[in-house]
């Protein structure tokens, strides 16, 4: 099923299929950026699902954005509502049928993304080697496999059949902020009593939760680490509305004034706020990659996943790996039901690294 490498001609219409999640969609922007950098005259369309679409709206490498909500079909699958599943697929087919594609690149590797790639009508459909079964059934060819563990480098293999080999890859995620977004962020911080640009009062953002239960560091540990910082450091907790109880627990352990903006922003607004900060403390989750994309220095905590697979590839990012012997299992839930790998990360070690970076 693998074909000879054929470079796209000027005007070639290429569809990118990467629906979700936040971090993975941002990882895939490295694919579109390198594709557009080398073939600037191709026409790129991206099929994406909310809420990740908000991170792609101003991307200069994307000529057209098609938004299809996969959350509806995911719920229908879970509830075994076949009629809703078929209706969603018909909507996707109609959305794609309004366009003509020469090539479709499936950067997700799911059975569902394979169906959507097939529905695009592109005669040339290129898939990547991921762990998911059945995706290859919908592809006209498969990209070469790679021994590289990192997700971005694995995504990049989709470009090899187009003549873009690994040695041509330039790392970096793309998330473009408008002038109005930047102005809004400055006003937001001012309204919340946060000083910007004061080196003696650095702004530290803290993201306490992830979407995987076993990637979460205990909320109490965040407070224990942060309480060792000088009071001059401005500490702001970010997150979703559901994160509020954990943030309150961390704030209680911190024992000094701090700010929580959990639930106050959408993803694009969060990106604008990140661009004005000095440092982000987080686990392996979407905000880590938003920070990378806008140039914010990060300190991230790793247990069941590993930065050699998922971590930022650009400079300015620092990692603390769990010392526990059970790490990098890549499971969404700890099979031992202990979260021992994340619990093994010492607040003292995190505090030491934060103090060093904030200097």
């Amino acid at each position: 099923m693998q074909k000879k490498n054929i470079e796209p001609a000027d005007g070639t219409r290429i569809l990118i299929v990467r629906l979700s999640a936040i971090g993975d969609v941002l990882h895939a922007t490295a694919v579109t950026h390198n594709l557009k950098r080398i073939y600037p005259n191709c026409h790129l369309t991206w099929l994406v699902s909310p809420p990740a679409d908000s991170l792609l709206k101003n991307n200069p490498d994307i000529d057209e954005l098609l938004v299809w909500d996969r959350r509806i079909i995911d719920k229908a699958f879970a509830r075994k509502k076949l009629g809703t599943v078929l209706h969603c697929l018909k909507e996707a087919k109609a959305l794609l049928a309004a366009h003509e594609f020469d090539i479709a690149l499936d950067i997700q590797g799911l059975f569902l993304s394979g169906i959507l790639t097939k529905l695009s009508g592109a005669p040339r459909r290129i898939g990547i080697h991921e762990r998911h079964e059945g995706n290859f059934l919908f592809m006209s060819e498969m990209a070469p496999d790679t021994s590289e563990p990192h997700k971005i480098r694995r995504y990049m293999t989709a470009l090899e059949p187009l003549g873009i080999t690994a040695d041509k890859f330039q790392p970096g995620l793309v998330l473009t902020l408008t002038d109005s977004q930047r102005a809004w962020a400055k006003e937001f911080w001012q309204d919340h009593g946060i000083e910007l640009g004061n080196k003696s009062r650095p702004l530290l953002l803290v993201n306490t939760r992830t979407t995987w239960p076993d990637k979460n560091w205990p909320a109490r540990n965040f407070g224990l680490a942060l309480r060792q910082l000088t009071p001059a450091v401005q500490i702001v907790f970010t997150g979703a509305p559901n994160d509020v109880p954990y943030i309150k627990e961390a704030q209680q352990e911190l024992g000094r004034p701090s700010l929580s903006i959990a639930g106050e922003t959408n993803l694009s607004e969060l990106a604008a706020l990140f661009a004005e900060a000095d440092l982000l403390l987080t686990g392996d989750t979407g905000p880590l990659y938003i920070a990378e994309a806008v140039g914010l220095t990060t300190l991230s905590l790793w247990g069941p996943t590993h930065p050699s697979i998922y971590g930022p590839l650009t400079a300015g990012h620092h990692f603390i790996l769990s010392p526990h012997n059970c790490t990098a299992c890549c499971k969404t839930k700890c099979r031992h039901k202990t979260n021992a790998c994340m619990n093994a990360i010492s607040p003292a070690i995190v505090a030491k690294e934060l103090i060093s970076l904030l200097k």
Side-chain angles (χ1 to χ4, degrees):
M1 194 163 45
Q2 191 168 333
K3 298 181 180 180
K4 183 180 178 182
N5 292 353
I6 303 174
E7 296 183 4
D10 286 356
T12 298
R13 296 155 298 186
I14 301 175
L15 173 68
I16 304 292
V17 179
R18 178 76 224 192
L19 302 172
S20 56
I22 295 167
D24 295 315
V25 165
L26 285 173
H27 279 162
T29 62
V31 177
T32 54
H33 182 66
N34 281 275
L35 179 56
K36 202 73 169 182
R37 179 176 61 84
I38 294 174
Y39 301 124
N41 296 323
C42 66
H43 186 279
L44 290 188
T45 301
W46 189 317
L47 180 65
V48 67
S49 172
D53 61 305
S54 65
L55 301 176
L56 300 178
K57 286 182 178 176
N58 300 312
N59 190 310
D61 302 315
I62 302 170
D63 297 295
E64 189 168 3
L65 198 62
L66 300 181
V67 181
W68 179 77
D69 197 338
R70 71 165 288 182
R71 296 171 296 186
I72 301 171
I73 199 170
D74 285 345
K75 289 179 181 177
F77 266 123
R79 297 171 183 172
K80 300 180 180 178
K81 294 186 175 181
L82 182 59
T84 304
V85 170
L86 293 175
H87 177 73
C88 290
L89 291 177
K90 285 181 180 178
E91 286 187 332
K93 184 177 182 180
L95 178 66
L96 292 165
H99 303 75
E100 240 183 89
F101 302 108
D102 303 302
I103 301 170
L105 305 180
D106 187 336
I107 312 296
Q108 192 135 14
L110 296 174
F111 191 82
L112 174 60
S113 62
I115 293 175
L116 296 170
T117 303
K118 178 72 173 178
L119 290 177
S120 73
R124 194 176 182 198
R125 303 178 303 280
I126 303 171
I128 57 175
H129 290 268
E130 289 292 275
R131 294 177 295 173
H132 313 292
E133 296 180 1
N135 177 269
F136 71 94
L137 297 171
F138 304 99
M139 301 300 125
S140 65
E141 59 191 287
M142 295 297 292
D145 202 355
T146 177
S147 59
E148 289 278 1
H150 201 284
K151 285 292 181 180
I152 293 177
R153 297 187 185 278
R154 297 190 68 82
Y155 294 168
M156 282 295 300
T157 61
L159 300 184
E160 290 202 28
L162 306 182
I164 303 177
T165 50
D167 59 296
K168 298 177 182 177
F169 169 62
Q170 291 183 4
L173 311 183
V174 180
L175 198 169
T176 306
L177 297 172
T178 64
D179 290 341
S180 61
Q181 286 174 319
R182 293 183 182 278
W184 173 87
K186 292 181 187 297
E187 186 176 344
F188 179 97
W189 285 131
Q190 183 178 4
D191 290 345
H192 285 73
I194 297 297
E195 288 185 47
L196 298 177
N198 186 343
K199 292 184 179 180
S200 64
R201 298 208 65 206
L203 175 53
L204 170 63
L205 304 184
V206 182
N207 185 81
T208 62
R209 305 295 287 175
T210 76
T211 53
W212 289 16
D214 66 339
K215 288 196 292 187
N216 291 327
W217 200 40
R220 179 173 179 269
N221 285 0
F222 279 97
L224 289 171
L226 295 170
R227 70 191 300 177
Q228 299 182 50
L229 303 181
T230 171
V233 177
Q234 301 175 97
I235 299 174
V236 177
F237 291 89
T238 68
N242 292 340
D243 299 339
V244 169
Y246 305 98
I247 292 172
K248 287 183 177 178
E249 184 180 348
Q251 288 178 311
Q252 185 175 1
E253 196 66 49
L254 170 58
R256 73 169 175 88
S258 62
L259 173 67
S260 172
I261 60 170
E264 292 189 30
T265 65
N266 59 34
L267 290 177
S268 58
E269 290 169 341
L270 188 66
L273 295 177
F274 275 18
E276 301 297 331
D278 297 295
L279 180 64
L280 170 69
L281 171 63
T282 182
D284 171 24
T285 188
L288 171 61
Y289 309 105
I290 293 176
E292 180 189 7
V294 299
L296 173 60
T297 301
T298 66
L299 175 62
S300 50
L301 313 179
W302 300 77
T305 54
H306 199 281
S308 66
I309 303 174
Y310 298 100
L313 292 175
T314 49
H317 304 282
H318 309 268
F319 315 113
I320 293 180
L321 306 180
S322 170
H324 199 270
N325 57 10
C326 181
T327 57
C329 67
C330 293
K331 301 293 184 184
T332 56
K333 293 183 180 179
C334 177
R335 62 180 180 269
H336 303 298
K337 299 181 180 180
T338 61
N339 275 30
C341 61
M342 291 303 294
N343 292 337
I345 298 175
S346 162
I349 295 296
V350 175
K352 182 180 179 181
E353 188 68 17
L354 286 172
I355 291 168
S356 175
L357 291 172
L358 290 168
K359 283 183 179 179

